[in-house]
Amino acid sequence: MNETLYNKAIRLSQICNACRYCEGFCAVFPAMEKRREFHIKDADYLANLCHQCGECLYACQYAPPHEFDLDVPRDFAAVRKESYKKFATPKFLGVAFEKAGLLTSVLLLVVLAIFLSLTSGNFDKDAAGNFYEITSYKTMVGVFGLFATISFVMILISCFKFAKSIGFDGVKFVDYISALKDALSLKHLGGHNYEGCTFPNGEDRSNLRRYFHHFTFYGFMLCFAATSIAAFYDHFLDYHAPYAFFSLPKLLGTFGGIALAIGCVGLFAMKIKADRNLIDIKSLNIDYALIFMLFLSAFSGLILMIFRDTSLLAYLLVLHLSSILSFFIIAPYSKMMHLFYRYLALVKNAKECRIYS
């Protein structure tokens, strides 16, 4: 654990709690005000509650170049990255991914592509748009089912460790519902009266970041729904792929893939343009890794759908399956965990708001 990083975040919280100028900006500062002392668990909680909008940085009288050097978005981003590593299961994989997230993702993609190529059928065979002629149904279900299950279990264990660390005593069902509403609407990226936040450069308010997050999340969920419905069709209705374009799996997958691709491109563009004072430079590696894998999964799926009746089918299928499998493998150790940790932080925040209201 990086004690210097946490000590800096604790010092920052103490100064902010004494000043309280930013208490109306987001959920972080009212959460600070409910504390008289700050510890490592509080830093993890507050950092994951922070949505990195940047509002506080541009309002802060102690921000750089002031000698206090207070930069909440930057320092809390660094703590978030540390929390992904600290609560990862197993921890050494979190450490390894943090050091070279993007490179690890690309190398994993290449290795899996080679593996799937070697285990697939004849690439010159006319599959007539049928994926199972290239990679058997048993291979798809077996390999993807195994890694998806492992990934899910690792994520679940990490979430349990995070929740236990920040303190979940007294949480009620209503707190989960309240947090879910905030998470699904991205309430804390809306700024004042939902006029938007000041990310990426502090010059103008915009809801673009919120919208791109919505495209990414809901696009991902549509793709997940498409896969789930296709599995239901196959196992329970004896209705096998390939499906017609206007079938439910194909429509959900198409719209989901387009939305996911748009969201990833938008978030990447905003990250590139972001004020360097707003971000933790060392976190960009894992940021780009997640965006890259999500975009490649969406884009390769869309291209595969367009060219599935051509001789490119086998090659595009291997690329798409490799990207999906790579995403499953890296998910518990990547920035994907901010989705779960932020929700858990929102749950804790909902509990505190309920108790202290």
Side-chain angles (χ1 to χ4, degrees):
M1 183 180 68
N2 191 331
E3 291 187 7
T4 301
L5 187 66
Y6 277 99
N7 288 336
K8 189 175 183 180
I10 289 172
R11 169 183 169 272
L12 175 153
S13 300
Q14 291 169 338
I15 296 174
C16 288
N17 200 29
C19 174
R20 301 195 175 187
Y21 180 81
C22 299
E23 64 179 352
F25 286 161
C26 68
V28 171
F29 299 99
M32 286 181 179
E33 293 174 14
K34 296 178 175 67
R35 288 160 171 76
R36 294 184 178 181
E37 296 180 347
F38 294 91
H39 306 281
I40 289 176
K41 65 177 183 179
D42 299 308
D44 282 326
Y45 162 54
L46 294 171
N48 281 280
L49 186 61
C50 171
H51 287 58
Q52 205 176 3
C53 68
E55 194 95 28
C56 57
L57 175 65
Y58 300 113
C60 182
Q61 59 187 320
Y62 302 122
H66 191 278
E67 60 180 327
F68 284 2
D69 190 36
L70 294 194
D71 191 331
V72 174
R74 179 197 64 196
D75 293 342
F76 275 0
V79 172
R80 279 197 299 277
K81 178 173 69 73
E82 187 71 13
S83 71
Y84 308 150
K85 177 178 65 175
K86 184 168 68 171
F87 298 109
T89 306
K91 187 174 181 179
F92 76 90
L93 289 178
V95 174
F97 189 81
E98 181 214 22
K99 292 181 178 179
L102 185 57
L103 178 61
T104 301
S105 300
V106 173
L107 290 177
L108 181 61
L109 178 69
V110 172
V111 170
L112 290 174
I114 294 173
F115 168 76
L116 289 174
S117 298
L118 294 175
T119 57
S120 297
N122 189 348
F123 275 38
D124 297 325
K125 184 177 181 179
D126 183 10
N130 189 348
F131 301 155
Y132 300 143
E133 291 292 329
I134 307 299
T135 301
S136 71
Y137 175 78
K138 289 184 178 180
T139 299
M140 284 194 189
V141 173
V143 174
F144 282 82
L146 173 64
F147 282 102
T149 301
I150 293 174
S151 179
F152 175 76
V153 171
M154 295 301 103
I155 289 173
L156 200 62
I157 294 173
S158 297
C159 287
F160 176 79
K161 289 160 64 175
F162 175 77
K164 183 179 179 181
S165 176
I166 65 173
F168 249 45
D169 295 339
V171 170
K172 295 184 177 180
F173 180 73
V174 66
D175 301 323
Y176 289 98
I177 299 301
S178 177
L180 186 62
K181 291 178 181 178
D182 289 347
L184 293 179
S185 65
L186 286 178
K187 172 184 175 181
H188 299 295
L189 280 182
H192 296 298
N193 298 318
Y194 288 97
E195 295 173 353
C197 65
T198 52
F199 193 96
N201 52 32
E203 295 177 0
D204 302 299
R205 291 186 178 278
S206 170
N207 273 303
L208 273 179
R209 185 165 174 249
R210 184 166 168 244
Y211 296 152
F212 286 138
H213 271 90
H214 277 318
F215 271 113
T216 303
F217 175 75
Y218 289 109
F220 179 87
M221 294 307 295
L222 285 175
C223 292
F224 180 77
T227 303
S228 300
I229 292 173
F232 177 79
Y233 281 178
D234 193 287
H235 288 283
F236 298 100
L237 301 183
D238 201 29
Y239 178 22
H240 306 293
Y243 301 109
F245 179 77
F246 289 102
S247 64
L248 193 55
K250 188 59 68 70
L251 287 175
L252 291 176
T254 300
F255 287 114
I258 293 172
L260 181 55
I262 291 173
C264 289
V265 171
L267 291 176
F268 177 74
M270 296 196 79
K271 190 74 68 174
I272 291 293
K273 295 192 302 180
D275 181 350
R276 298 295 97 172
N277 289 317
L278 270 178
I279 58 179
D280 173 46
I281 300 298
K282 294 181 179 179
S283 297
L284 289 177
N285 184 41
I286 62 172
D287 290 357
Y288 292 150
L290 178 62
I291 292 174
F292 170 72
M293 292 310 305
L294 285 174
F295 175 78
L296 186 61
S297 298
F299 183 73
S300 61
L302 293 171
I303 296 299
L304 176 61
M305 179 190 68
I306 295 172
F307 294 100
R308 76 175 190 181
D309 291 320
T310 71
S311 59
L312 296 175
L313 171 64
Y315 303 98
L316 293 175
L317 179 63
V318 166
L319 174 62
H320 182 57
L321 294 180
S322 301
S323 61
I324 296 293
L325 193 53
S326 298
F327 170 75
F328 276 133
I329 293 173
I330 71 168
Y333 315 104
S334 71
K335 196 183 176 180
M336 186 68 180
M337 294 307 297
H338 90 289
L339 171 70
F340 305 102
Y341 291 174
R342 182 158 290 158
Y343 172 68
L344 293 173
L346 286 169
V347 172
K348 181 177 176 67
N349 183 65
K351 181 204 77 172
E352 292 184 344
C353 290
R354 173 176 53 81
I355 292 175
Y356 293 106
S357 62

